[in-house]
Amino acid sequence: MNSVQPVLPMTGGCSCGAIRYEISSFPLLLYTCNCTDCQTASGSAFALNMPVATKDFRVLKGEPKGWRRPSPTGADVTSWFCGDCGGRIYGERAGWPESINIRAGTLDETRWLNPAAHMFMRSAQSWVQPAANAECHEIGPSDFRPLAEKWRAMWPEFFPRT
């Protein structure tokens, strides 16, 4: 595993510091999305998405601006950005009120990040190399529960078995 261990609460924010947030529970998953929409939105090869429980996320400083659009599957998605520097912080998907997707690169400490999966590999850049032991999906899985289980097994200190 990684030599750097995450600590709760996790904090992060935009590039200019106008938006700051805190996450009080461990993320539900970490994955890359290589779809062409994420490539365009990020200006990079993929987005590094980190779903977290909505109830455990709070904005500490600033007021993000929202931009609503349909996802490639037609779901209503709102992306939340800093109105000053334009950095995307997180997104919400209609029908999934229990979680939001943080852009993991906005965390203050990122050295522990190791994705459990890579989505939409059919549109990944040819040089993208999956993380060791990560699952690869040509598109997104229809059921994220097995991936969430794999993620929990990667971090037993945050998800003790009962």
Side-chain angles (χ1 to χ4, degrees):
M1 194 55 59
N2 298 318
S3 60
V4 175
Q5 292 297 308
V7 176
L8 293 174
M10 294 178 186
T11 57
C14 66
S15 297
C16 73
I19 306 292
R20 297 291 301 157
Y21 67 81
E22 178 181 85
I23 305 165
S24 60
S25 65
F26 200 70
L28 304 171
L29 186 59
L30 179 69
Y31 65 92
T32 69
C33 182
N34 296 273
C35 78
T36 55
D37 279 0
C38 282
Q39 289 179 35
T40 301
S42 69
S44 186
F46 53 82
L48 188 57
N49 292 320
M50 189 177 72
V52 300
T54 303
K55 66 179 180 57
D56 297 328
F57 171 80
R58 70 184 179 113
V59 174
L60 301 172
K61 176 184 169 191
E63 292 187 33
K65 307 285 186 212
W67 175 58
R68 183 171 289 131
R69 64 174 173 47
S71 74
T73 62
D76 189 29
V77 174
T78 303
S79 295
W80 294 94
F81 296 83
C82 172
D84 293 334
C85 69
R88 181 169 178 214
I89 309 295
Y90 66 99
E92 298 173 304
R93 180 180 293 264
W96 292 10
E98 66 281 346
S99 68
I100 62 168
N101 250 338
I102 302 285
R103 290 297 171 125
T106 65
L107 287 170
D108 293 334
E109 175 56 68
T110 59
R111 292 176 294 167
W112 64 273
L113 298 174
N114 186 21
H118 300 275
M119 311 300 181
F120 286 90
M121 290 302 288
R122 72 178 181 192
S123 53
Q125 297 298 313
S126 61
W127 50 264
V128 169
Q129 297 296 312
N133 301 315
E135 289 185 19
C136 292
H137 298 265
E138 286 297 300
I139 60 172
S142 58
D143 184 356
F144 277 81
R145 287 177 291 195
L147 281 176
E149 284 295 322
K150 180 177 183 169
W151 176 254
R152 285 191 286 274
M154 290 170 62
W155 297 100
E157 63 272 34
F158 292 99
F159 300 102
R161 300 242 180 229
T162 54

